[in-house]
Amino acid sequence: TTTRKMGDTTLFLNTGFSHLRCRIHPVVLFRILDHYIRRSEGQERVIGSLLGANNEGVIEIRNTFPVPHSEADQVAVDTEFLSNMLQLHLRANPKETIVGWYASGSEINENSVLIHDFYWRELHQVPIHLTVDIRALAAGSGMKAYILSSLSLPNVEKPLASQFQPVKLEIENLDAEKTALEVLMRSKSEGSTQTAIFTELANFENALTQIQKLLETIGEYVDKVVAGDVAANNTIGRFLSTTISSLPLLEPATFDKMWNNHLQDLLMVVYLANLTRTQLALAERLQTLS
């Protein structure tokens, strides 16, 4: 498909957010950053497919893979590469399918419309378009999601035009992803390329330390509000009140008893798991000897 060269005009009309929502996992951002860093010399932007699922109006973006393309004289997408990568991905993750595509940079131009139309025809549904401005990611404002919607008049069948409408976007962290991000952040602060992963007990201790610091921060804020040093915020006050009222009222002795019972149950589970692991190892060794 032949088109004009990319211009500076952004094809976007801000008329509010769509009813759809997007949740993106951190691994997707890392893959997009890696793709951008490894781009060919002279390439202005990179594109790729977004993989995930549509859960009742919530688009969950779990994975991605790059797609070779060209925007020199005409827009060209390597459809054979896209098809092969999708087939390989479906073998490992059959529940994930293409839900849209991404592009580096924040600009939406005529080439973006053509690529979006290609994905629309391939998916037979409205795809998500994710723009990732690499330079603005550090400030937390470099990532936006859109869908293409039609503009029409009443009693007119054919749409007059189309517009990219913003979609609410949020980052979702699984427990494993959160642990990996914490390791990366700790490695960055320590200035080392090698960082040990904490044990469960160490992670638990760190979590308690963070909770204690948060409680101290909340206590200092409340003291300042009561003393009149800081203006009261009704939203924060209602949030703290709701949070505190949701906690059960327990006597210290009752809490200690519950804690000790839970700790004993946890130690018993750990003991049984180690015993089962040892038994399986012995059974495997005896089967090998026989």
Side-chain angles (χ1 to χ4, degrees), residues 155-166:
N155 302 324
V156 178
E157 296 182 358
K158 293 183 179 181
L160 300 177
S162 298
Q163 66 170 351
F164 280 93
Q165 190 174 5

Side-chain angles (χ1 to χ4, degrees), residues 1-5 72-76 110-111 114:
T1 304
T2 303
T3 183
R4 294 190 297 271
K5 297 178 68 175
D73 297 327
Q74 61 181 9
V75 178
E110 295 177 353
N111 293 348
L114 295 176

